[in-house]
Amino acid sequence: MTETLPTNSASKSKLLPHLEWIFDDSPIPDPHGKGEAAIKFIKALRHPKSKAPGRAFQLDRWQERIIRKCLGDTLPDGSRRVNELFFMVGRGNRKTSAMAAVLMCFLVGPERRPGSTICSLANSREQAALTFKEMAGICRATPKILEAVRIQDTAKRIAYRKHDVTYEALSSDAKNAHGRTDVCAFWDEGHAETKNDLLEAIETGLNKSANTLLLSASTAGIGRNGPFWTKYEHARKVTDGRVLDETFLPVLFEAPADVDFRDEAWLFATNPGLPHGYPNLKKLRRYIERCEHSPAERESFKRLHLSVYLDGAANPEWDLAIWDEGSGPVDLDALQGRKAWLAVDLSKRIDLSAVVATIELDDELYAVHCMGFSPEAQLRKRADNDSAPYPLWAEQGWLTACPGDIVDRGIVEDYIRGLCEKFDVQEIVFDVALARELMENLEADGIPVAAFPQTLMNFAKPVDTFEDMFLNRRLVHDSPLLRWAVGNTVMMRDQNDNRRPNKARAADRIDPCVAAIMSVSRAVQGASGRSSYDTADLTDLDQFAV
């Protein structure tokens, strides 16, 4: 017996009121008939996997209304009102198929322009090939179109010869992205893109012509860096009314971060294809059962199927929403003379290093200030590799760009000495594997330094202390660099649940967070009257040399 699935239109309207227009009967403007023309064209297409009679392309009502809004809502002169669609929905809701159908409108359908180019772009060649396969499959399943086009499988290109219209699939390693002047582009699964280069090249090309369209369709992303986050952030602002932008259409089938992953009302609200048989409900229910006993599976399910944007690592140790409650300005000049505890995490000379100062405030509160250090040479390339806006942070003062190709330890030392002049520094702790010379220089001038071996047992109590401090809202911090690192942090655990930051498992850099854990824990310990410097043995730093 076939299971009857509810449409849940009322539930969608209640849970996602900003998407009510997709499911109600409200009119969608189509003054020039362009939306109707596109829908008629798409419904005349064939799809090789379609189970409909004649393998007709399955275009469900919710998809149809999004396309009508995109293509039909035109201005008095006939140009499109919407120049960009940002569409975020769970995996398995056939977003790539729907966007491929829209691209077909520009290739051989009512939106075609003689002599134009269109494209799809994705992070990898494999992902880029998916849109091409969809379009090529549609062409081969639709005889009249197959006669009119030339399909080049190796080049991932389709040409409509009569009107000289060409579609091409591009990936991040494409060499020919710059110089393009496309009239329509589809950015597929943008959450996987860490670099701006390809999207920037395509967008600047779209800007060269009037009446162009950028389509973005993706599952939810992770972290607050990269081009997808920038688009998502703008989509949220347009959705909630903070920004007025009628050229940008956000369609976010997104559950709240604190959603109960077992709540099927949210499952249906964020997966509009479910009433139509996709994705597979039985498989999703089995996935939910696995999530009961696996936090990592739970986070993955929420992102991939409830479209919850994860803020940091895929399985982060801490909730950044709580971390953000401690966000506030840290004015170092206003705090001059107060007690402070510093921690230094020196990386290899080509990577990110960090110095964190924890400064005693009133009412058992502490200010946490973080400064990062990275080589200036190829700063943008390193930013792409680490998925972090290093150039912006350097411009804003959160990161010191050291001239040349390495982190200049002299610059780090000068910064530390500057903090020692400004504050009553009680102690500076180091991950000493790379800091022997720096520690010796500071100690020679009477500055209190201490070793912080990076062992699990040595981190166990400091991690608990750091966690307690920010969970109890006793830390004030303002660094986006530190926030990024906190969101990236994952832990190594032993059988007794002792924890240590695990750099090997972290998706991105966690060095500033490691330094913050060291600094905050020393501050709490020092404020209690017990300084590790009193008992530290610094007579033989050679044991930490590498």
Side-chain angles (χ1 to χ4, degrees):
M1 185 174 183
T2 303
E3 182 178 9
T4 302
L5 301 179
T7 60
N8 277 313
S9 295
S11 176
K12 289 184 177 72
S13 298
K14 181 179 179 181
L15 296 177
L16 300 172
H18 58 285
L19 298 182
E20 185 174 358
W21 64 272
I22 295 176
F23 302 100
D24 63 16
D25 294 319
S26 61
I28 295 176
D30 192 10
H32 296 88
K34 293 187 176 183
E36 180 66 17
I39 296 305
K40 285 184 177 179
F41 170 78
I42 292 172
K43 287 184 175 180
L45 297 174
R46 300 290 180 263
H47 194 285
K49 296 182 181 179
S50 174
K51 296 180 180 179
R55 293 189 295 176
F57 189 96
Q58 182 179 343
L59 186 69
D60 295 314
R61 185 170 179 271
W62 69 275
Q63 299 167 314
E64 177 180 327
R65 287 181 66 81
I66 293 172
I67 294 172
R68 284 185 181 274
K69 180 70 174 175
C70 236
L71 300 181
D73 189 2
T74 49
L75 298 170
D77 65 356
S79 61
R80 66 182 85 261
R81 186 182 307 277
V82 174
N83 296 120
E84 183 168 352
L85 167 69
F86 186 88
F87 177 30
M88 196 170 82
V89 70
R91 179 176 289 180
N93 282 276
R94 300 184 180 175
K95 52 187 176 295
T96 301
S97 294
M99 295 301 101
V102 176
L103 288 178
M104 291 297 298
C105 291
F106 285 81
L107 179 64
V108 297
E111 292 285 341
R112 70 181 181 276
R113 298 186 203 175
S116 65
T117 61
I118 62 177
C119 70
S120 61
L121 53 148
N123 179 56
S124 66
R125 291 183 180 181
E126 293 77 12
Q127 187 65 43
L130 295 181
T131 305
F132 167 78
K133 289 178 181 178
E134 284 288 324
M135 294 181 66
I138 291 171
C139 290
R140 288 175 171 132
T142 312
K144 288 185 178 180
I145 294 179
L146 183 60
E147 293 175 4
V149 300
R150 180 188 178 197
I151 302 172
Q152 298 174 272
D153 291 283
T154 302
K156 303 293 184 291
R157 186 183 295 120
I158 305 174
Y160 181 27
R161 292 167 290 191
K162 181 178 180 179
H163 291 282
D164 189 27
V165 182
T166 303
Y167 156 79
E168 188 173 3
L170 306 173
S171 61
S172 287
D173 56 359
K175 307 298 183 184
N176 58 342
H178 289 278
R180 296 183 64 93
T181 54
D182 298 293
V183 297
C184 182
F186 167 41
W187 188 28
D188 191 17
E189 296 296 354
H191 73 89
E193 185 60 76
T194 60
K195 302 177 181 179
N196 287 298
D197 299 16
L198 179 58
L199 181 63
E200 185 179 76
I202 297 302
E203 282 196 288
T204 54
L206 290 170
N207 292 339
K208 293 177 184 178
S209 303
N211 211 29
T212 56
L213 179 63
L214 174 62
L215 306 164
S216 303
S218 179
T219 51
I222 302 174
R224 292 196 175 193
N225 303 298
F228 187 75
W229 165 257
T230 302
K231 294 287 188 184
Y232 169 75
E233 188 176 32
H234 184 67
R236 290 297 311 159
K237 290 177 180 178
V238 174
T239 296
D240 61 26
R242 284 177 289 166
V243 170
L244 297 178
D245 185 356
E246 67 174 9
T247 70
F248 188 97
L249 177 61
V251 178
L252 304 177
F253 285 96
E254 175 186 31
D258 60 353
V259 66
D260 181 351
F261 67 93
R262 296 158 293 199
D263 187 346
E264 287 203 356
W266 275 111
L267 184 65
F268 276 89
T270 56
N271 290 270
L274 275 177
H276 306 282
Y278 56 91
N280 187 289
L281 182 59
K282 290 183 178 179
K283 290 184 178 180
L284 289 179
R285 284 172 172 163
R286 287 199 294 270
Y287 197 161
I288 291 171
E289 290 176 3
R290 297 202 309 270
C291 292
E292 291 282 357
H293 307 289
S294 173
E297 292 265 32
R298 194 177 308 155
E299 291 297 292
S300 180
F301 176 82
K302 288 167 66 176
R303 182 177 76 85
L304 296 176
H305 296 290
L306 300 179
S307 294
V308 175
Y309 203 107
L310 298 185
D311 202 355
N315 185 23
E317 188 69 20
W318 295 304
D319 185 351
L320 280 175
I322 298 176
W323 176 260
D324 287 343
E325 291 184 24
S327 180
V330 177
D331 187 339
L332 297 186
D333 291 333
L335 298 175
Q336 187 167 341
R338 289 181 178 257
K339 290 183 179 180
W341 290 259
L342 311 186
V344 183
D345 190 325
L346 286 181
S347 65
K348 293 180 180 179
R349 287 183 176 267
I350 61 171
D351 291 325
L352 179 67
S353 295
V355 176
V356 172
T358 300
I359 306 158
E360 190 173 39
L361 303 177
D362 300 325
D363 301 322
E364 298 184 331
L365 298 177
Y366 295 84
V368 181
H369 180 76
C370 176
M371 176 58 69
F373 299 84
S374 184
E376 184 176 38
Q378 298 184 332
L379 191 63
R380 182 169 294 279
K381 180 178 179 180
R382 290 190 175 90
D384 290 338
N385 291 338
D386 291 353
S387 305
Y390 289 164
L392 176 63
W393 287 339
E395 181 181 327
Q396 294 174 339
W398 306 112
L399 178 75
T400 297
C402 301
D405 295 295
I406 64 173
V407 173
D408 189 328
R409 300 291 168 79
I411 292 177
V412 177
E413 182 176 337
D414 288 343
Y415 177 78
I416 293 171
R417 289 181 182 275
L419 291 177
C420 290
E421 293 176 1
K422 186 181 290 286
F423 299 105
D424 180 10
V425 173
Q426 303 295 296
E427 182 180 61
I428 309 174
V429 291
F430 290 80
D431 170 5
V432 292
L434 299 170
R436 178 171 179 256
E437 181 179 356
L438 179 53
M439 290 180 70
E440 289 178 341
N441 292 344
L442 296 172
E443 187 187 20
D445 290 337
I447 297 174
V449 298
F452 195 112
Q454 307 287 287
T455 64
L456 191 148
M457 289 310 301
N458 202 45
F459 261 112
K461 179 61 177 175
V463 167
D464 290 342
T465 299
F466 178 76
E467 182 176 75
D468 289 343
M469 291 295 287
F470 87 76
L471 290 180
N472 287 301
R473 283 68 169 178
R474 291 176 60 190
L475 301 181
V476 180
H477 43 78
D478 59 358
S479 168
L481 171 62
L482 177 56
R483 183 189 190 280
W484 170 70
V486 170
N488 292 332
T489 300
V490 293
M491 294 288 173
M492 175 186 294
R493 285 173 160 83
D494 67 10
Q495 65 272 21
N496 296 316
D497 207 33
N498 294 308
R499 293 175 291 172
R500 175 175 73 82
N502 191 335
K503 293 185 179 182
R505 284 185 53 220
D508 282 301
R509 305 290 179 184
I510 66 172
D511 310 80
C513 184
V514 172
I517 292 169
M518 295 158 60
S519 175
V520 169
S521 63
R522 288 301 203 231
V524 173
Q525 184 183 39
S528 69
R530 295 177 291 106
S531 172
S532 61
Y533 180 66
D534 294 335
T535 57
D537 181 6
L538 300 178
T539 58
D540 186 10
L541 290 176
D542 287 337
Q543 61 182 308
F544 302 111
V546 293

